[in-house]
Amino acid sequence: MELQQIRAFVAVAEELHFGRAAERLGMAQPPLSRTIRSLETELGASLFQRTTRSVNLSPAGEALLEPAKHMLATQQAAVESVHRSSSGEVGRVRFGYSHPSSRDLAATLVAASHERNPGITFQLESTIYADEGLERIMDGTLDLALVRWRRRPPLIAGRPVAIERPCVAMPSSHRLAGRKKIGVEELADEPFVLLPARPNSNLRETAMRLCLDAGFSPRTVQEAPDSQSISALVAAGMGVTITFDSVAAGYDSRVSAVPLDLPNEATQLHLAYRLDHQDAALNTVLDVAEAVLPTVR
């Protein structure tokens, strides 16, 4: 059965008059009659009881009517779904981020998007560091990511949505915990707890670079897979860590964070996506992000 046949059958079944049904469908009556006869031939049953004065559904027509209406409704729903997808009203966005600061921003964007466009769903990945996030945007396994970079990579678009400044986190009982600022060189003899070298994290890279610029290589006594683990290890007295103020804000209450004396070391956190993407749902989410995650300078 073709949709044209089903549409013709439903029109006649509801109007019980070939002339009115033809007018409703915007066609002449003879082609409508031929369409109904073709459908009856295909099904091997008469769908209407016709007299010179009336048209009524046959038992076979009664049996077909509800399934036929369902077929038309399904077809219409499919068309509407395609239109909504093309307009960015529905779709899926794969969103990667890491660190407590990024999670708060991600939650803000996801909640606002859901409120404004409930047809868009998110696939969230919460352990995506800078290099991995950018690589996965490029290979198409992520659509959007919150990442840090010092220089924007080719084919990546994005804008800064947060500014972060380096600090040193240490147990609250540490001898330097009460200071207003600390020079990186003062940490030369301290044991460090850091993120692992792989996957590469901008946070670890920043810590290593700042230490090397200050004339020493950090003595790493323990690596930990995420900021929560680092927080717990620092709180337990295992060592100190260089992190960003936004990350340290989510650390254990037994940890103190002191700004590093580096006024020109602010880092921007970017909302990044592929420059040449053609995803309508992602465009809708980016429009929401403009409102709820404004650009920072």
mmCIF file of all heavy atoms in Angstrom, residues 57-86:
data_model
loop_
_atom_site.group_PDB
_atom_site.id
_atom_site.type_symbol
_atom_site.label_atom_id
_atom_site.label_comp_id
_atom_site.label_asym_id
_atom_site.label_seq_id
_atom_site.Cartn_x
_atom_site.Cartn_y
_atom_site.Cartn_z
ATOM 1 N N LEU A 57 -18.665 2.360 4.612
ATOM 2 C CA LEU A 57 -17.554 1.438 4.776
ATOM 3 C C LEU A 57 -18.043 0.005 4.822
ATOM 4 O O LEU A 57 -19.048 -0.308 5.474
ATOM 5 C CB LEU A 57 -16.812 1.747 6.084
ATOM 6 C CG LEU A 57 -15.865 2.942 6.069
ATOM 7 C CD1 LEU A 57 -15.454 3.312 7.485
ATOM 8 C CD2 LEU A 57 -14.634 2.645 5.221
ATOM 9 N N SER A 58 -17.324 -0.872 4.150
ATOM 10 C CA SER A 58 -17.568 -2.300 4.257
ATOM 11 C C SER A 58 -16.882 -2.823 5.519
ATOM 12 O O SER A 58 -16.109 -2.089 6.155
ATOM 13 C CB SER A 58 -16.999 -3.014 3.026
ATOM 14 O OG SER A 58 -15.570 -2.968 3.081
ATOM 15 N N PRO A 59 -17.128 -4.045 5.927
ATOM 16 C CA PRO A 59 -16.397 -4.593 7.081
ATOM 17 C C PRO A 59 -14.881 -4.526 6.886
ATOM 18 O O PRO A 59 -14.147 -4.223 7.828
ATOM 19 C CB PRO A 59 -16.889 -6.040 7.136
ATOM 20 C CG PRO A 59 -18.283 -5.973 6.570
ATOM 21 C CD PRO A 59 -18.209 -4.954 5.471
ATOM 22 N N ALA A 60 -14.413 -4.767 5.660
ATOM 23 C CA ALA A 60 -12.967 -4.665 5.402
ATOM 24 C C ALA A 60 -12.495 -3.223 5.563
ATOM 25 O O ALA A 60 -11.412 -2.947 6.093
ATOM 26 C CB ALA A 60 -12.651 -5.177 3.997
ATOM 27 N N GLY A 61 -13.323 -2.266 5.098
ATOM 28 C CA GLY A 61 -12.969 -0.858 5.256
ATOM 29 C C GLY A 61 -12.931 -0.445 6.717
ATOM 30 O O GLY A 61 -12.047 0.320 7.141
ATOM 31 N N GLU A 62 -13.921 -0.932 7.505
ATOM 32 C CA GLU A 62 -13.926 -0.646 8.946
ATOM 33 C C GLU A 62 -12.642 -1.161 9.590
ATOM 34 O O GLU A 62 -12.037 -0.490 10.439
ATOM 35 C CB GLU A 62 -15.137 -1.316 9.605
ATOM 36 C CG GLU A 62 -16.485 -0.738 9.209
ATOM 37 C CD GLU A 62 -16.826 0.524 9.996
ATOM 38 O OE1 GLU A 62 -15.983 0.984 10.788
ATOM 39 O OE2 GLU A 62 -17.933 1.051 9.797
ATOM 40 N N ALA A 63 -12.199 -2.342 9.185
ATOM 41 C CA ALA A 63 -10.984 -2.925 9.768
ATOM 42 C C ALA A 63 -9.737 -2.146 9.385
ATOM 43 O O ALA A 63 -8.768 -2.080 10.154
ATOM 44 C CB ALA A 63 -10.850 -4.378 9.315
ATOM 45 N N LEU A 64 -9.758 -1.537 8.196
ATOM 46 C CA LEU A 64 -8.569 -0.828 7.722
ATOM 47 C C LEU A 64 -8.470 0.591 8.269
ATOM 48 O O LEU A 64 -7.362 1.140 8.369
ATOM 49 C CB LEU A 64 -8.581 -0.786 6.179
ATOM 50 C CG LEU A 64 -7.425 -0.035 5.508
ATOM 51 C CD1 LEU A 64 -6.080 -0.682 5.862
ATOM 52 C CD2 LEU A 64 -7.631 0.011 3.997
ATOM 53 N N LEU A 65 -9.588 1.202 8.668
ATOM 54 C CA LEU A 65 -9.592 2.637 8.945
ATOM 55 C C LEU A 65 -8.606 3.054 10.040
ATOM 56 O O LEU A 65 -7.793 3.969 9.825
ATOM 57 C CB LEU A 65 -11.003 3.097 9.309
ATOM 58 C CG LEU A 65 -11.167 4.609 9.547
ATOM 59 C CD1 LEU A 65 -10.688 5.398 8.339
ATOM 60 C CD2 LEU A 65 -12.616 4.942 9.881
ATOM 61 N N GLU A 66 -8.633 2.454 11.187
ATOM 62 C CA GLU A 66 -7.739 2.882 12.271
ATOM 63 C C GLU A 66 -6.266 2.632 11.943
ATOM 64 O O GLU A 66 -5.425 3.515 12.157
ATOM 65 C CB GLU A 66 -8.116 2.196 13.589
ATOM 66 C CG GLU A 66 -9.388 2.744 14.214
ATOM 67 C CD GLU A 66 -9.337 4.271 14.379
ATOM 68 O OE1 GLU A 66 -8.299 4.782 14.860
ATOM 69 O OE2 GLU A 66 -10.326 4.930 14.012
ATOM 70 N N PRO A 67 -5.894 1.427 11.408
ATOM 71 C CA PRO A 67 -4.490 1.252 10.988
ATOM 72 C C PRO A 67 -4.060 2.268 9.932
ATOM 73 O O PRO A 67 -2.920 2.739 9.938
ATOM 74 C CB PRO A 67 -4.452 -0.175 10.431
ATOM 75 C CG PRO A 67 -5.580 -0.868 11.121
ATOM 76 C CD PRO A 67 -6.650 0.173 11.279
ATOM 77 N N ALA A 68 -4.994 2.634 9.031
ATOM 78 C CA ALA A 68 -4.659 3.614 7.984
ATOM 79 C C ALA A 68 -4.396 4.980 8.605
ATOM 80 O O ALA A 68 -3.445 5.687 8.231
ATOM 81 C CB ALA A 68 -5.797 3.698 6.973
ATOM 82 N N LYS A 69 -5.219 5.395 9.562
ATOM 83 C CA LYS A 69 -4.995 6.665 10.248
ATOM 84 C C LYS A 69 -3.663 6.659 10.991
ATOM 85 O O LYS A 69 -2.942 7.662 11.014
ATOM 86 C CB LYS A 69 -6.138 6.941 11.226
ATOM 87 C CG LYS A 69 -7.464 7.313 10.568
ATOM 88 C CD LYS A 69 -8.515 7.588 11.636
ATOM 89 C CE LYS A 69 -9.831 8.021 11.021
ATOM 90 N NZ LYS A 69 -10.866 8.275 12.062
ATOM 91 N N HIS A 70 -3.347 5.511 11.578
ATOM 92 C CA HIS A 70 -2.070 5.401 12.295
ATOM 93 C C HIS A 70 -0.895 5.532 11.330
ATOM 94 O O HIS A 70 0.108 6.186 11.647
ATOM 95 C CB HIS A 70 -2.008 4.059 13.029
ATOM 96 C CG HIS A 70 -0.730 3.848 13.773
ATOM 97 N ND1 HIS A 70 -0.413 4.532 14.935
ATOM 98 C CD2 HIS A 70 0.339 3.040 13.511
ATOM 99 C CE1 HIS A 70 0.775 4.158 15.352
ATOM 100 N NE2 HIS A 70 1.255 3.257 14.518
ATOM 101 N N MET A 71 -1.013 4.933 10.155
ATOM 102 C CA MET A 71 0.051 5.045 9.152
ATOM 103 C C MET A 71 0.269 6.499 8.755
ATOM 104 O O MET A 71 1.411 6.970 8.650
ATOM 105 C CB MET A 71 -0.279 4.194 7.923
ATOM 106 C CG MET A 71 -0.172 2.708 8.159
ATOM 107 S SD MET A 71 -0.695 1.759 6.706
ATOM 108 C CE MET A 71 0.577 2.215 5.524
ATOM 109 N N LEU A 72 -0.818 7.250 8.548
ATOM 110 C CA LEU A 72 -0.689 8.651 8.164
ATOM 111 C C LEU A 72 -0.095 9.479 9.300
ATOM 112 O O LEU A 72 0.728 10.370 9.062
ATOM 113 C CB LEU A 72 -2.057 9.214 7.774
ATOM 114 C CG LEU A 72 -2.679 8.653 6.493
ATOM 115 C CD1 LEU A 72 -4.022 9.315 6.226
ATOM 116 C CD2 LEU A 72 -1.748 8.839 5.297
ATOM 117 N N ALA A 73 -0.494 9.174 10.537
ATOM 118 C CA ALA A 73 0.053 9.905 11.685
ATOM 119 C C ALA A 73 1.536 9.635 11.843
ATOM 120 O O ALA A 73 2.330 10.545 12.147
ATOM 121 C CB ALA A 73 -0.696 9.515 12.957
ATOM 122 N N THR A 74 1.940 8.391 11.617
ATOM 123 C CA THR A 74 3.359 8.039 11.718
ATOM 124 C C THR A 74 4.173 8.748 10.646
ATOM 125 O O THR A 74 5.266 9.257 10.901
ATOM 126 C CB THR A 74 3.542 6.513 11.586
ATOM 127 O OG1 THR A 74 2.817 5.861 12.645
ATOM 128 C CG2 THR A 74 5.010 6.135 11.673
ATOM 129 N N GLN A 75 3.621 8.790 9.428
ATOM 130 C CA GLN A 75 4.308 9.482 8.346
ATOM 131 C C GLN A 75 4.452 10.966 8.656
ATOM 132 O O GLN A 75 5.498 11.570 8.446
ATOM 133 C CB GLN A 75 3.534 9.274 7.036
ATOM 134 C CG GLN A 75 4.208 9.884 5.816
ATOM 135 C CD GLN A 75 3.635 11.245 5.428
ATOM 136 O OE1 GLN A 75 2.597 11.656 5.962
ATOM 137 N NE2 GLN A 75 4.318 11.937 4.539
ATOM 138 N N GLN A 76 3.400 11.578 9.206
ATOM 139 C CA GLN A 76 3.446 12.996 9.542
ATOM 140 C C GLN A 76 4.445 13.255 10.658
ATOM 141 O O GLN A 76 5.196 14.245 10.627
ATOM 142 C CB GLN A 76 2.055 13.481 9.968
ATOM 143 C CG GLN A 76 1.984 14.961 10.306
ATOM 144 C CD GLN A 76 2.345 15.856 9.141
ATOM 145 O OE1 GLN A 76 2.125 15.490 7.979
ATOM 146 N NE2 GLN A 76 2.909 17.023 9.424
ATOM 147 N N ALA A 77 4.476 12.352 11.640
ATOM 148 C CA ALA A 77 5.436 12.503 12.741
ATOM 149 C C ALA A 77 6.863 12.409 12.235
ATOM 150 O O ALA A 77 7.750 13.138 12.703
ATOM 151 C CB ALA A 77 5.177 11.440 13.809
ATOM 152 N N ALA A 78 7.092 11.522 11.265
ATOM 153 C CA ALA A 78 8.436 11.379 10.697
ATOM 154 C C ALA A 78 8.852 12.648 9.970
ATOM 155 O O ALA A 78 9.986 13.128 10.108
ATOM 156 C CB ALA A 78 8.480 10.184 9.749
ATOM 157 N N VAL A 79 7.930 13.223 9.199
ATOM 158 C CA VAL A 79 8.225 14.468 8.482
ATOM 159 C C VAL A 79 8.525 15.592 9.468
ATOM 160 O O VAL A 79 9.494 16.344 9.308
ATOM 161 C CB VAL A 79 7.048 14.852 7.564
ATOM 162 C CG1 VAL A 79 7.240 16.249 6.995
ATOM 163 C CG2 VAL A 79 6.911 13.833 6.434
ATOM 164 N N GLU A 80 7.697 15.704 10.515
ATOM 165 C CA GLU A 80 7.902 16.759 11.507
ATOM 166 C C GLU A 80 9.219 16.577 12.243
ATOM 167 O O GLU A 80 9.902 17.557 12.563
ATOM 168 C CB GLU A 80 6.741 16.765 12.493
ATOM 169 C CG GLU A 80 5.436 17.260 11.876
ATOM 170 C CD GLU A 80 4.264 17.173 12.840
ATOM 171 O OE1 GLU A 80 4.477 16.707 13.984
ATOM 172 O OE2 GLU A 80 3.149 17.573 12.457
ATOM 173 N N SER A 81 9.575 15.311 12.520
ATOM 174 C CA SER A 81 10.834 15.043 13.208
ATOM 175 C C SER A 81 12.026 15.493 12.381
ATOM 176 O O SER A 81 12.987 16.084 12.900
ATOM 177 C CB SER A 81 10.946 13.544 13.526
ATOM 178 O OG SER A 81 12.151 13.259 14.200
ATOM 179 N N VAL A 82 11.971 15.241 11.075
ATOM 180 C CA VAL A 82 13.048 15.680 10.186
ATOM 181 C C VAL A 82 13.129 17.197 10.156
ATOM 182 O O VAL A 82 14.213 17.791 10.236
ATOM 183 C CB VAL A 82 12.844 15.114 8.765
ATOM 184 C CG1 VAL A 82 13.826 15.760 7.790
ATOM 185 C CG2 VAL A 82 13.028 13.605 8.766
ATOM 186 N N HIS A 83 11.971 17.848 10.079
ATOM 187 C CA HIS A 83 11.948 19.310 10.053
ATOM 188 C C HIS A 83 12.506 19.889 11.349
ATOM 189 O O HIS A 83 13.270 20.868 11.335
ATOM 190 C CB HIS A 83 10.525 19.814 9.833
ATOM 191 C CG HIS A 83 10.021 19.566 8.442
ATOM 192 N ND1 HIS A 83 8.688 19.662 8.099
ATOM 193 C CD2 HIS A 83 10.680 19.224 7.302
ATOM 194 C CE1 HIS A 83 8.545 19.403 6.809
ATOM 195 N NE2 HIS A 83 9.746 19.121 6.309
ATOM 196 N N ARG A 84 12.130 19.288 12.484
ATOM 197 C CA ARG A 84 12.609 19.779 13.782
ATOM 198 C C ARG A 84 14.115 19.564 13.912
ATOM 199 O O ARG A 84 14.829 20.405 14.463
ATOM 200 C CB ARG A 84 11.868 19.081 14.913
ATOM 201 C CG ARG A 84 10.401 19.465 15.026
ATOM 202 C CD ARG A 84 9.687 18.628 16.052
ATOM 203 N NE ARG A 84 10.234 18.863 17.386
ATOM 204 C CZ ARG A 84 10.179 17.973 18.371
ATOM 205 N NH1 ARG A 84 9.654 16.781 18.162
ATOM 206 N NH2 ARG A 84 10.667 18.276 19.547
ATOM 207 N N SER A 85 14.599 18.441 13.384
ATOM 208 C CA SER A 85 16.040 18.188 13.425
ATOM 209 C C SER A 85 16.782 19.198 12.563
ATOM 210 O O SER A 85 17.811 19.747 12.960
ATOM 211 C CB SER A 85 16.334 16.763 12.942
ATOM 212 O OG SER A 85 17.721 16.520 12.893
ATOM 213 N N SER A 86 16.246 19.481 11.382
ATOM 214 C CA SER A 86 16.899 20.425 10.477
ATOM 215 C C SER A 86 16.907 21.836 11.049
ATOM 216 O O SER A 86 17.802 22.623 10.763
ATOM 217 C CB SER A 86 16.190 20.420 9.121
ATOM 218 O OG SER A 86 16.261 19.135 8.533
#
